[in-house]
Amino acid sequence: MGGDHGPRVTLAACRKFLDDHPDAQLLLVGLPEPLAGFSHARASLVPASEVVLMDDPVEVALRRKKDSSMRVAIQQVRDGEAAVAVSAGNTGALMAIARYLLKTLDGIERPAIATQMPNARGGATTVLDLGANVDCTAEHLLQFAFMGAALGSVLKGDDQPTVGLLNIGEEVIKGNEVIKRAGELLRAARDSGDLNFAGNVEGNDIFKGTVDIVVCDGFVGNVALKASEGLASVIVGFLKEEFSRNVFTKMAAVCAYPVLSALKRRMDYRRYNGAALLGLRGLVFKSHGSADEVAFEQALVRAYDAARNNLLQRLQERIAHAAPLLARQAAVAPAASALAPSADIPAALHR
Amino acid sequence: MGGDHGPRVTLAACRKFLDDHPDAQLLLVGLPEPLAGFSHARASLVPASEVVLMDDPVEVALRRKKDSSMRVAIQQVRDGEAAVAVSAGNTGALMAIARYLLKTLDGIERPAIATQMPNARGGATTVLDLGANVDCTAEHLLQFAFMGAALGSVLKGDDQPTVGLLNIGEEVIKGNEVIKRAGELLRAARDSGDLNFAGNVEGNDIFKGTVDIVVCDGFVGNVALKASEGLASVIVGFLKEEFSRNVFTKMAAVCAYPVLSALKRRMDYRRYNGAALLGLRGLVFKSHGSADEVAFEQALVRAYDAARNNLLQRLQERIAHAAPLLARQAAVAPAASALAPSADIPAALHR
């Protein structure tokens, strides 16, 4: 039913996606009427009688709208009818419904949202969490690191992607108590050979591409992501304004067009659309609510690639491999239960 | 003694600053020998026998180097010999020494670091804290709001600058417990007419310029600042690379030069150099450790403007005005004392 723009955008993206991926099949979940016009040999309709609205509280989405398109889509994953679900809807509702229907993997207490940001090395840095958890313990951050490593290994085809802990300095004494303790856990995981932990990283390392995976709590990750998006759009706006100032700058824009369009492409957040909800017993991807056709197709492609590359299985294997370590840490965690329980109020990410 | 580059850069910046500001006087604090070559009618040397190094632990800077240039410079402020101190040195050491020698203002428990970031409105957004406090209570955030408002009124000449609380969504139910409680306190301050609080803002609002002042804890602020700096430098690097790719792109760069240099100027972090340490009984400004001549002069200009515009007095007045509110909140604060005491381990900001 598709985020801010509805089926008009999602259906067009679906058609493009099917054309580009001859092996893919789609289940279109939603109100029958708006989806009725779509016909394709590899697409079928799964009806739902309700839609979760962007401003529905999580409780409403979870408890009252039991036949929402979002819920029915995730049921397809739970029941093995679909390999992965993609939604451009309300993030908080999506996370809550996914968590309720799919449950978390053994060893994972909190699912996390992971996305990729372009870096100076021409690749992308995977960052998690981006808003599912506004208060994390050190143990949660350790779990995120393992989930991020699994995603990174699928994305990069590298079995031991490097993991950094987002902090305000590289030295181990930096940060608050949670971060310092997370650093200890991550170093222990490195020393036992379970994780390629590269130490603390800072905000600029996300874009430098210092490590493959950056781990942080959802509050910090969300702010960093949105601040970067804000800066990028200010820069694009500035260039547009300056290049259209007069006839000379307009001519300059024509000359500089190849470079400017390369920059625009590089900074185009649509190309990085599609965040993974990690830590669940099923694959769910979240598209930006404001996604246009290009962006929504990108989310479909990411979800498809993740499913085809057995992300879920790799996650399970990696978490299972790390299970003794995770269990040991959970058992000795001194303050985990003292933190405010706030995981159930997910963030506004990707609204 | 000057950050990464030493007196070579700071002395050149001082000379330029004195030439541009015929009313200004400088006390140059440091080892006599490297400063001996500098001679100016409005500059005099204040000798110090030690220098705090960039990697000195706070304890070493505070307890062992009692005749450091940093400490002697702040003593000049404490003793009324100087209106403001500027340093490009170790941020943690500077904050600790400033706090020890100057003490905090009544009503302020923790000093904060505030700086400005360019926004889409052609102005700048003031953001605090940027790394002095890695764990904040709601009451600290309220105090930061008042300090930021005082700084904003000096910078903008507007008596009631707008203040936003950095969060992961605009709705009041968003965020962790500390942020939600801070929102309550800030709304109370708005309702009593003490603060022009505009509600929650998100990371992108820093660059949109939605509000004049953005309040956050030091961990989040530091990450957001550094992520933005990282993205900006990736974009500049990308443009350089693309425009020097071949003879055609080089010609395009010539055509586009006016626009590109305007962008470069707009994104030049040197122009925003000079962060204020707020909440102390004296003015201290921090320059980026890697500041070059242009950037260090900018820090001097900011410090000079703050002193000339009576920032300290305005801060004191505003805090005094808000004292009943701040005291009431501190008295009823439920969890303030339960938080980990980490203010004494300042951050790597502007190292």
Side-chain angles (χ1 to χ4, degrees):
Chain A
M1 300 305 295
D4 301 348
H5 306 301
R8 181 175 56 79
V9 156
T10 51
L11 291 181
C14 286
R15 184 168 300 282
K16 179 87 169 36
F17 169 77
L18 286 168
D19 290 346
D20 292 349
H21 298 84
D23 294 334
Q25 297 188 27
L26 285 179
L27 303 179
L28 307 176
V29 186
L31 303 180
E33 200 178 324
L35 305 182
F38 191 90
S39 158
H40 193 288
R42 284 178 281 116
S44 49
L45 177 69
V46 178
S49 62
E50 293 172 295
V51 176
V52 173
L53 303 179
M54 280 306 207
D55 52 2
D56 273 343
V58 167
E59 297 72 34
V60 170
L62 191 60
R63 306 216 172 94
R64 302 225 197 111
K65 295 189 169 176
K66 297 205 173 171
D67 194 41
S68 69
S69 57
M70 201 179 261
R71 184 163 183 150
V72 173
I74 294 170
Q75 279 165 349
Q76 306 307 305
V77 174
R78 183 196 60 190
D79 300 342
E81 301 295 326
V84 55
V86 180
S87 168
N90 183 322
T91 308
L94 184 68
M95 179 56 99
I97 293 171
R99 200 173 165 182
Y100 177 75
L101 289 180
L102 299 175
K103 313 299 178 201
T104 54
L105 292 169
D106 287 331
I108 300 297
E109 290 162 53
R110 304 254 191 106
I113 301 175
T115 195
Q116 295 193 282
M117 300 200 202
N119 65 37
R121 299 193 171 186
T125 306
T126 298
V127 184
L128 77 165
D129 175 39
L130 288 170
N133 308 283
V134 293
D135 272 314
C136 292
T137 64
E139 290 70 28
H140 296 146
L141 294 170
L142 178 66
Q143 294 163 20
F144 296 172
F146 279 104
M147 298 196 287
L151 180 61
S153 69
V154 167
L155 293 170
K156 288 200 53 167
D158 169 1
D159 227 31
Q160 285 294 348
T162 52
V163 176
L165 175 65
L166 192 58
N167 202 341
I168 58 172
E170 287 175 20
E171 304 87 340
V172 294
I173 59 148
K174 295 293 182 186
N176 57 31
E177 296 308 314
V178 169
I179 292 291
K180 280 188 266 187
R181 168 88 183 128
E184 288 172 21
L185 299 182
L186 289 162
R187 285 192 295 278
R190 176 190 62 201
D191 295 345
S192 64
D194 291 309
L195 198 71
N196 193 0
F197 178 57
N200 288 338
V201 295
E202 301 183 67
N204 50 339
D205 290 306
I206 295 171
F207 296 102
K208 274 164 91 176
T210 313
V211 291
D212 298 316
I213 319 287
V214 171
V215 170
C216 57
D217 87 29
F219 193 97
V220 173
N222 187 285
V223 167
L225 172 74
K226 286 183 182 159
S228 310
E229 285 183 356
L231 177 59
S233 82
V234 165
I235 291 170
V236 169
F238 176 83
L239 285 173
K240 269 188 193 156
E241 189 190 310
E242 288 293 318
F243 273 118
S244 57
R245 192 173 287 279
N246 58 46
V247 65
F248 299 108
T249 57
K250 281 178 188 164
M251 280 167 57
V254 173
C255 299
Y257 180 78
V259 170
L260 294 178
S261 63
L263 176 69
K264 202 177 159 195
R265 186 176 142 74
R266 183 85 159 259
M267 284 173 60
D268 188 351
Y269 270 86
R270 297 182 305 177
R271 288 179 60 222
Y272 303 91
N273 190 35
L277 273 52
L278 294 179
L280 300 163
R281 297 172 188 268
L283 292 183
V284 180
F285 274 71
K286 171 69 178 74
S287 158
H288 217 295
S290 66
D292 65 6
E293 189 182 323
V294 171
F296 193 77
E297 195 204 348
Q298 185 57 37
L300 292 172
V301 171
R302 291 217 165 181
Y304 176 70
D305 285 344
R308 214 177 34 162
N309 289 307
N310 302 314
L311 172 59
L312 187 60
Q313 196 188 329
R314 292 211 205 185
L315 260 168
Q316 280 170 322
E317 284 167 8
R318 193 173 279 261
I319 301 296
H321 180 74
L325 184 77
L326 290 172
R328 201 158 60 241
Q329 298 309 345
V332 299
S337 58
L339 274 191
S342 58
D344 293 325
I345 306 165
L349 178 79
H350 284 168
R351 266 290 312 275
Chain B
M1 300 306 295
D4 300 347
H5 305 302
R8 182 175 56 80
V9 156
T10 51
L11 291 181
C14 285
R15 183 168 300 282
K16 179 87 168 37
F17 169 76
L18 285 169
D19 290 347
D20 292 349
H21 297 83
D23 293 334
Q25 296 188 27
L26 285 178
L27 304 179
L28 307 176
V29 185
L31 303 180
E33 201 179 323
L35 305 183
F38 190 89
S39 159
H40 193 289
R42 283 179 280 118
S44 50
L45 177 69
V46 178
S49 62
E50 293 172 293
V51 176
V52 173
L53 302 179
M54 280 307 207
D55 53 2
D56 273 342
V58 168
E59 298 71 35
V60 169
L62 192 59
R63 306 217 172 93
R64 301 224 197 114
K65 295 189 170 177
K66 296 205 173 170
D67 195 39
S68 70
S69 57
M70 200 179 262
R71 184 160 181 154
V72 173
I74 294 170
Q75 279 166 349
Q76 306 306 305
V77 173
R78 184 196 60 189
D79 300 343
E81 301 293 327
V84 54
V86 180
S87 168
N90 183 322
T91 308
L94 184 68
M95 179 56 99
I97 293 171
R99 200 173 165 182
Y100 177 74
L101 290 180
L102 299 175
K103 313 300 178 200
T104 54
L105 291 169
D106 287 331
I108 300 298
E109 291 162 53
R110 303 253 191 107
I113 301 176
T115 196
Q116 295 192 281
M117 301 200 201
N119 66 36
R121 299 193 171 185
T125 307
T126 299
V127 184
L128 77 166
D129 173 39
L130 288 170
N133 308 283
V134 293
D135 271 314
C136 292
T137 63
E139 291 71 26
H140 296 145
L141 294 170
L142 178 66
Q143 294 163 20
F144 296 172
F146 279 104
M147 297 196 288
L151 179 61
S153 69
V154 166
L155 293 170
K156 288 200 51 166
D158 169 0
D159 227 31
Q160 285 294 347
T162 51
V163 176
L165 176 64
L166 191 59
N167 202 340
I168 58 172
E170 287 174 21
E171 305 86 340
V172 294
I173 59 148
K174 294 294 182 186
N176 56 31
E177 295 308 314
V178 168
I179 291 292
K180 281 188 265 187
R181 168 86 183 130
E184 287 172 21
L185 298 182
L186 289 163
R187 286 192 294 278
R190 176 189 62 201
D191 295 345
S192 64
D194 292 309
L195 198 72
N196 192 0
F197 178 58
N200 288 339
V201 295
E202 300 183 65
N204 50 339
D205 290 305
I206 295 170
F207 296 102
K208 275 163 90 176
T210 312
V211 291
D212 299 316
I213 319 287
V214 171
V215 170
C216 57
D217 87 28
F219 194 96
V220 173
N222 187 284
V223 167
L225 172 74
K226 286 184 182 158
S228 310
E229 285 184 356
L231 177 60
S233 80
V234 166
I235 292 170
V236 168
F238 176 83
L239 285 173
K240 269 189 192 155
E241 189 189 312
E242 288 293 319
F243 273 119
S244 56
R245 193 173 286 279
N246 58 45
V247 64
F248 300 106
T249 58
K250 281 178 189 165
M251 279 168 58
V254 173
C255 299
Y257 180 77
V259 170
L260 295 177
S261 63
L263 176 70
K264 203 175 157 196
R265 186 176 143 74
R266 183 84 159 259
M267 284 173 59
D268 188 351
Y269 270 86
R270 297 182 304 175
R271 287 179 60 222
Y272 303 91
N273 189 36
L277 273 52
L278 294 178
L280 299 162
R281 297 172 189 268
L283 293 182
V284 180
F285 274 70
K286 171 69 178 76
S287 158
H288 216 296
S290 65
D292 65 5
E293 189 183 323
V294 171
F296 193 77
E297 195 205 347
Q298 185 57 39
L300 292 172
V301 171
R302 290 219 165 178
Y304 175 71
D305 284 345
R308 215 177 33 162
N309 289 308
N310 302 315
L311 172 59
L312 187 60
Q313 196 188 328
R314 292 211 206 185
L315 260 168
Q316 280 170 322
E317 284 167 8
R318 193 173 279 260
I319 301 296
H321 180 74
L325 185 77
L326 291 172
R328 201 157 60 240
Q329 298 310 345
V332 299
S337 58
L339 274 191
S342 58
D344 293 324
I345 307 164
L349 177 77
H350 284 167
R351 270 288 309 275

